[in-house]
Amino acid sequence: MPSRKKPSRRTRILVGGAALAVVGAGVVGTVAANAADSTGTASAAAPAAARGGDLTQSTHLTLAAAEKAARAALDAAAKDGRQVSVAVVDRNGNTLVTLRGDGAGPQSYESAERKAFTAVSWNAPTSKLAEQLQQAPNLKDIPGTLFLAGGTPVTAKGAPVAGIGVAGAPSGDLDERYAQAGAAVLGR
């Protein structure tokens, strides 16, 4: 069997670019064809309107409030001489703010985000959720979660609106205390 020579980087880029151009042209042609009416001229279709019964509303933490909470958590840790990272996520688990304190370990950044995500997802402190792993060990396999103490939910009218996660202190109890300090400033 003859050996095949690997194409050069330039050849691979050119072939890839040509493939993207073909796909792009197909998409543009499809969109243009769908936008034309039976006479061949473009028509402006009215956007579909959802009925009130088909909608829900949710409350989200503002960026200013998320920054305030993160700063309060970081300050509480600094008072104790701890180097931590703090993350605040919104109701959907999207990161609003992450602060990595001076000297915080490199793993603390992602751990704080995952603790915050876990807290808001289950609307419970991560220390309580970590205890539940005894009965349901597969919980830890859910992507993006971290079942270690250090995350606390933020609620409004009984529903979760955000999660605060702290990581980097010598114990999860300290991490969670700092996260709670961040949540406490939101009620003031």
Side-chain angles (χ1 to χ4, degrees):
M1 175 173 236
S3 67
R4 293 179 49 181
K5 183 179 173 188
K6 184 177 176 181
S8 71
R9 179 172 163 36
R10 182 175 181 217
T11 301
R12 290 189 314 246
I13 290 171
L14 289 173
V15 170
L20 284 174
V22 168
V23 170
V27 169
V28 169
T30 301
V31 170
N34 287 337
D37 63 18
S38 61
T39 62
T41 59
S43 63
R51 295 182 307 258
D54 294 335
L55 304 173
T56 64
Q57 290 187 342
S58 62
T59 304
H60 292 266
L61 201 61
T62 66
L63 179 58
E67 290 172 341
K68 179 179 170 181
R71 178 55 59 194
L74 197 61
D75 289 347
K79 280 184 187 177
D80 288 348
R82 307 294 180 196
Q83 295 83 29
V84 300
S85 289
V86 179
V88 180
V89 300
D90 68 10
R91 171 61 191 111
N92 299 322
N94 299 311
T95 302
L96 293 170
V97 176
T98 306
L99 300 176
R100 184 174 170 268
D102 294 335
Q107 78 289 354
S108 65
Y109 191 88
E110 182 179 349
S111 296
E113 286 183 332
R114 291 175 60 192
K115 288 178 183 183
F117 176 83
T118 305
V120 76
S121 295
W122 275 272
N123 194 23
T126 54
S127 60
K128 300 294 183 214
L129 296 169
E131 294 170 6
Q132 293 180 0
L133 285 180
Q134 300 294 329
Q135 292 79 32
N138 290 346
L139 282 178
K140 68 180 178 353
D141 298 333
I142 297 172
T145 59
L146 185 58
F147 291 89
L148 297 174
T152 191
V154 176
T155 61
K157 299 178 184 173
V161 295
I164 302 173
V166 176
S171 73
D173 293 342
L174 287 173
D175 285 339
E176 198 154 308
R177 187 172 85 202
Y178 304 142
Q180 290 168 347
V185 302
L186 297 174
R188 296 182 193 155

